[in-house]
Amino acid sequence: MRPKADLHTHTVASGHGYSTVAELADSARARGLELIAITDHGPGCPGGAHPYHFWNLKALPAVLGGVRLLKGVEANVTDSDNGLDLSDELLEVLDLVAVGFHPESGFDDADEARNTEALLRAMRNPLVDMVTHPGNGNYPVDMDAIVACALERNVILELNDFTFAGVGSRKGSEAREREFAHAASAAGVRVAINSDAHFHLHVGMLTEALQVAEEIGLAEENVVNLDADTVLAYLLSRRPRPRLEVGGIW
């Protein structure tokens, strides 16, 4: 299995990303990828992008150098009415909406019950497509409840390659990320194997996550990011994506 799409990448707009959109696209093309999602951190994450950044993603091309660009967000779990740190009005024009827990975003001292309740509220928002790094040990959740909700709501659960790098804020979360992927696979939940790249040379680097996928027997039919067509079919089956072709082909 060699996915040709990466649904979790960051640019300088995330505050702690170190590459531009063009650099991400160049690296994606060099790795043979057909599609990447630009998923900069929402404003609830320290250093995250302002809402204006997401409104103006229409300025990006739909295809750059042969690589399809999805204009998205990695939003933050919040206690807001819609469960995220961007309004529904803004989220509905994005190509892909991911959500996850991040340091200093309001849940550093929360317990499993509060984390689970907040993540379930976010996942029940019909605009949410994917949960990022669900096995993050810093933010424990009820795995059975999250997997069941993902199945019910047709929400992707991510298998995050960076989790297995053993560095950064999610150090020590490898076992739980593996458990989530195994539980998602067993339940028939859609899984995306992503890089979580914060530097352009990491785009499409999925070595560790692919090894985990093989070890747990993750079936290709459960993987949503095998190629651009599979990704687009999934997204369009859930709701309209009004800006998908905005920006043209460059």
Side-chain angles (χ1 to χ4, degrees), residues 15-167:
H16 56 277
Y18 303 95
S19 302
T20 65
V21 172
E23 288 170 332
L24 294 180
D26 284 345
S27 287
R29 182 172 57 254
R31 289 191 183 277
L33 299 187
E34 300 174 351
L35 178 151
I36 59 172
I38 308 298
T39 52
D40 284 309
H41 288 289
C45 186
H50 189 277
Y52 286 0
H53 166 80
F54 300 101
W55 277 119
N56 200 46
L57 285 173
K58 60 183 182 293
L60 296 180
V63 179
L64 180 59
V67 177
R68 165 74 69 166
L69 301 181
L70 297 182
K71 298 105 167 183
V73 63
E74 185 183 15
N76 296 283
V77 177
T78 72
D79 288 323
S80 64
D81 288 343
N82 75 346
L84 297 95
D85 58 343
L86 290 175
S87 69
D88 284 353
E89 182 182 12
L90 201 163
L91 295 171
E92 67 184 0
V93 302
L94 298 179
D95 298 335
L96 184 140
V97 176
V99 63
F101 289 104
H102 298 96
E104 299 182 42
S105 298
F107 286 85
D108 288 352
D109 298 320
D111 59 19
E112 180 179 299
R114 183 183 170 215
N115 292 341
T116 302
E117 179 184 5
L119 183 53
L120 289 174
R121 179 170 56 250
M123 293 172 69
R124 289 172 182 144
N125 184 321
L127 301 174
V128 169
D129 302 303
M130 179 172 71
V131 175
T132 57
H133 37 72
N136 189 341
N138 297 318
Y139 306 96
V141 294
D142 182 327
M143 184 174 67
D144 291 341
I146 299 305
V147 170
C149 185
L151 183 63
E152 176 190 357
R153 307 293 297 186
N154 193 23
V155 171
I156 300 165
L157 294 180
E158 180 184 61
L159 177 55
N160 185 293
D161 189 82
F162 187 69
T163 295
F164 299 95
V167 297

Side-chain angles (χ1 to χ4, degrees), residues 207-218:
T207 303
E208 300 294 333
L210 285 173
Q211 182 175 334
V212 171
E214 182 177 356
E215 290 171 356
I216 67 174
L218 179 60

